[in-house]
Amino acid sequence: MSGPVLACDLALALAVDVSGSVDAEEYRIQMDGLAFALNDSVISEALVRARARLMLVQWTGMSRQQVTIPWTTVDTFEALDAFADRVADDPRVWRNYSTAVGEALETTMAAFSEVGDCARHLIDLSGDGPSNEGIEPKALHPYLRALGITVNAIAIEQSEPDLTAYYYENVIVGEGAFVVTASGFADYPERIRKKLLREVTQQNASLD
């Protein structure tokens, strides 16, 4: 006899860096690129088949992280299109603060209590710099592991050439966790598409 059918296969939180190092054009590149990636035919089909739940978080310095789009079930293509449109239209909450990666993870982690019926729990964090205030992201790894939350990252190395190594050592956690590198914001749309493709289809490093 088979086990219970889960309400969804994947809960995916999209955490986007809006710190002071990200200008207005770079913010727009991130949001438009993310919306475009969600509409990729392979990604969208995988998300709908998974009855995925998606959430968007904007994050910057200490005490400045906000869920701007709460958990949304995307069990139809229409629902996914509507979510992608909301991402593209999401107004920026902050623009002149520091980079608190640990607090971004802490805030996002807490929201997973609402999606306990999903099989996989995943945080997809985008950033263009190392954490420079607040709790160290690595200090949260035991809690993330205990909750079964995987953290993957996209390192935007526009002004931080060693950011990928920093994210590998301090940010990502969980079985199969990985970092994708964008050499600058111009590379973000294609890199986030490949990152999401790898995440939602559970494919391997051949996509890097």
Side-chain angles (χ1 to χ4, degrees):
M1 186 174 181
S2 61
V5 177
L6 292 168
C8 76
D9 178 63
L10 174 65
L12 173 61
L14 304 162
V16 177
D17 183 356
V18 297
S19 59
S21 58
V22 178
D23 67 24
E25 181 181 358
E26 292 162 351
Y27 172 78
R28 180 48 43 209
I29 289 171
Q30 285 188 92
M31 305 312 276
D32 288 347
L34 186 52
F36 182 77
L38 290 168
N39 282 316
D40 176 272
S41 59
V42 177
I43 293 170
S44 60
E45 182 172 358
L47 288 170
V48 171
R49 286 173 62 89
R51 296 177 56 86
R53 293 183 187 171
L54 305 179
M55 179 178 76
L56 184 71
V57 179
Q58 292 188 33
W59 65 273
T60 174
M62 288 177 62
S63 304
R64 292 182 174 88
Q65 300 81 33
Q66 183 171 317
V67 176
T68 56
I69 305 178
W71 289 116
T72 302
T73 301
V74 291
D75 52 359
T76 67
F77 291 107
E78 292 77 13
L80 182 56
D81 288 345
F83 183 87
D85 288 344
R86 290 181 69 185
V87 170
D89 294 338
D90 201 39
R92 185 171 185 168
V93 180
W94 299 283
R95 62 184 70 247
N96 295 312
Y97 294 96
S98 298
T99 304
V101 179
E103 292 206 7
L105 293 177
E106 188 174 44
T107 296
T108 308
M109 176 177 68
F112 279 86
S113 62
E114 303 170 27
V115 288
D117 54 351
C118 293
R120 290 195 293 145
H121 291 177
L122 177 63
I123 296 173
D124 185 329
L125 184 135
S126 302
D128 76 335
S131 192
N132 55 28
E133 70 174 16
I135 186 173
E136 288 296 323
K138 200 165 188 177
L140 294 169
H141 285 185
Y143 305 101
L144 289 157
R145 288 193 186 96
L147 292 170
I149 300 172
T150 297
V151 178
N152 296 328
I154 178 166
I156 306 168
E157 295 191 335
Q158 184 118 335
S159 57
E160 296 283 349
D162 296 323
L163 189 61
T164 295
Y166 173 85
Y167 276 12
Y168 265 115
E169 294 168 7
N170 297 279
V171 178
I172 66 170
V173 64
E175 184 176 356
F178 65 94
V179 181
V180 164
T181 304
S183 60
F185 281 91
D187 292 337
Y188 178 89
E190 179 58 20
R191 300 309 290 162
I192 194 65
R193 187 190 70 82
K194 289 195 172 185
K195 183 172 185 290
L196 284 171
L197 187 64
R198 179 171 169 182
E199 288 167 335
V200 303
T201 61
Q202 296 183 296
Q203 293 187 7
N204 58 32
S206 63
L207 288 170
D208 266 357

